[in-house]
Amino acid sequence: MSLTRRHILANTMATVACAVALLTPKRTQGADEMEDFLWRLTGRKATPSNRLRLVMPAEFPTGYTVPMSISVDSPMTEADHVKSVRVFAPKNPLVEVVQFHFVPGRSLSSVSTRVRLAAPQHVVALAEMSDGSLLMAKAWVTVATNGCL
């Protein structure tokens, strides 16, 4: 068998393709990435839930004032209430955007405000319940300008 330029080129290309495939970090599903992100921040497992609703526009022209509404289905009694809700934006310079604390019997389990976003990203809300469980909701928001300059 003679060694030709074509064989050398084909073997080199195959070697480079294998090296790139082995060295490239494995990407996981979006939900897994978000659960890993929350695990690193809180040290606990969050559960996606329909009880926690995060409402944000899918597209917004500026990242400076993106409207956000959060509500949690909770009776707000001493036995069953929302202790706090934290909001994270992983692509912002400061990842934790805001934290709200709730008092059973005195406050509603909903809040509306505006937040700044640096880039298009998933915004994640994490509600800590009185039984210690963590509820998670997320929303994709595309912003045209960076609101964190």
Side-chain angles (χ1 to χ4, degrees), residues 35-100:
E35 289 176 9
D36 290 343
F37 171 75
L38 292 175
W39 177 265
R40 285 188 308 242
L41 285 176
T42 64
R44 296 166 42 191
K45 181 171 176 45
T47 306
S49 174
N50 292 333
R51 291 180 63 193
L52 173 62
R53 286 180 297 282
L54 172 63
V55 179
M56 299 183 77
E59 293 181 14
F60 204 71
T62 176
Y64 287 103
T65 57
V66 181
M68 174 181 71
S69 295
I70 300 170
S71 62
V72 184
D73 286 337
S74 171
M76 293 304 287
T77 61
E78 285 292 331
D80 184 9
H81 63 274
V82 182
K83 291 172 72 176
S84 66
V85 173
R86 299 165 70 181
V87 178
F88 301 100
K91 293 187 178 177
N92 276 11
L94 297 175
V95 173
E96 186 167 355
V97 176
V98 66
Q99 182 173 12
F100 302 100

